[in-house]
Each structure stands twice: as structure tokens, then as C-alpha cells.
Amino acid sequence: MEVIFSLDEINEVAQQILEQNPNKVILFNGEMGVGKTTLIKALTKKMGVNDVTSSPTFSLVNEYQTATNQTIYHFDFYRLNNEIEALDMGADEYLYSGNWCFIEWGEKIPNLIPDLHSTISIRLLSDGKRLLELI
């Protein structure tokens, strides 16, 4: 899937992503400030999360419950220095739990990512819109 969108259209894009039936572990790639966390907020809302969602930059992981009692883990590994730190916080248990895992800065833990995952790459275009690719 490939789509160009403005941030005003992010809820529609979130719905389109879910309609693609991605794997439950999803990597979100893109530069700082491109909208990864904003997209994750839209996805969790579309999935029925009523709690406030935010970036887990300092806690490394936030846990959300959907209205249908599904668990979503949202990771931000930006502050990690190495994969050992991720292992120390139990990242492997989360990633292989069978629950949804939305991962920002997954390139910091390449050896821990399950083989069965999807990747969303977001790139800022010159007109302020975003190019999203779901693989």
C-alpha cells in the first residue's frame, strides 16, 4: 500500500492501513517529527482505544486496551543505546506475545524484531504532505 496524505486525512489513512490486515507487529520508520506517533494515535483510536495515547519516549512502552479488550503495546526505542537495554526491559516478551506492537525506532533493535512483521515508512514531501508505504 502506498498513499500520499495530509495530516488532516490521518484518520482515513489509519482506516486504510487496518483494512490491509497488517501483521500485529508493525515498525514505524521515518525521521523525527514526520508523524509516526500521530499515526499511531489515529490507529489506536480506530481500533477502539479510548484512553489518551502519547509517545512512550521516556517509559519506552505504553500499553493500551481496545474496546474489544485487545492489548496494544506502543514502543519508542529512540533513547536506547543497544539491544541489551531492550532485552532488559523485556521487549522480547512483548514482541512475541501475540498482541499488537507498534514500534517507533525499531532499527535500534533489528535482531529482536519477529520475522512476521509489517513496516510503515513515512516520508515528508516538499508540499508538507506525507508519503506512506506499508509493506
Side-chain angles (χ1 to χ4, degrees), residues 88-125:
D88 287 346
M89 58 89 60
D92 53 334
E93 293 177 31
Y94 291 107
L95 297 175
Y96 292 91
S97 68
N99 293 306
W100 288 96
C101 294
F102 296 160
I103 305 167
E104 296 183 60
W105 303 102
E107 59 270 24
K108 297 248 185 171
I109 60 161
N111 298 308
L112 301 180
I113 302 297
D115 290 338
L116 192 59
H117 69 273
S118 295
T119 301
I120 291 175
S121 297
I122 306 172
R123 186 167 49 95
L124 184 61
L125 302 175

Side-chain angles (χ1 to χ4, degrees), residues 11-71:
N11 292 320
E12 292 82 4
V13 171
Q15 183 62 45
Q16 290 174 27
I17 290 168
L18 293 174
E19 289 171 357
Q20 297 295 310
N21 295 315
N23 293 304
K24 284 193 164 185
V25 174
I26 305 176
L27 306 178
F28 291 79
N29 296 333
E31 294 181 13
M32 181 90 62
V34 77
K36 298 181 297 290
T37 300
T38 304
L39 178 58
I40 290 171
K41 287 179 182 184
L43 284 166
T44 57
K45 185 176 180 180
K46 287 286 181 187
M47 295 172 75
V49 172
N50 294 318
D51 296 332
V52 174
T53 57
S54 62
S55 177
T57 302
F58 295 102
S59 62
L60 298 181
V61 62
N62 287 342
E63 180 178 335
Y64 309 116
Q65 290 296 130
T66 69
T68 58
N69 210 30
Q70 294 184 73
T71 300

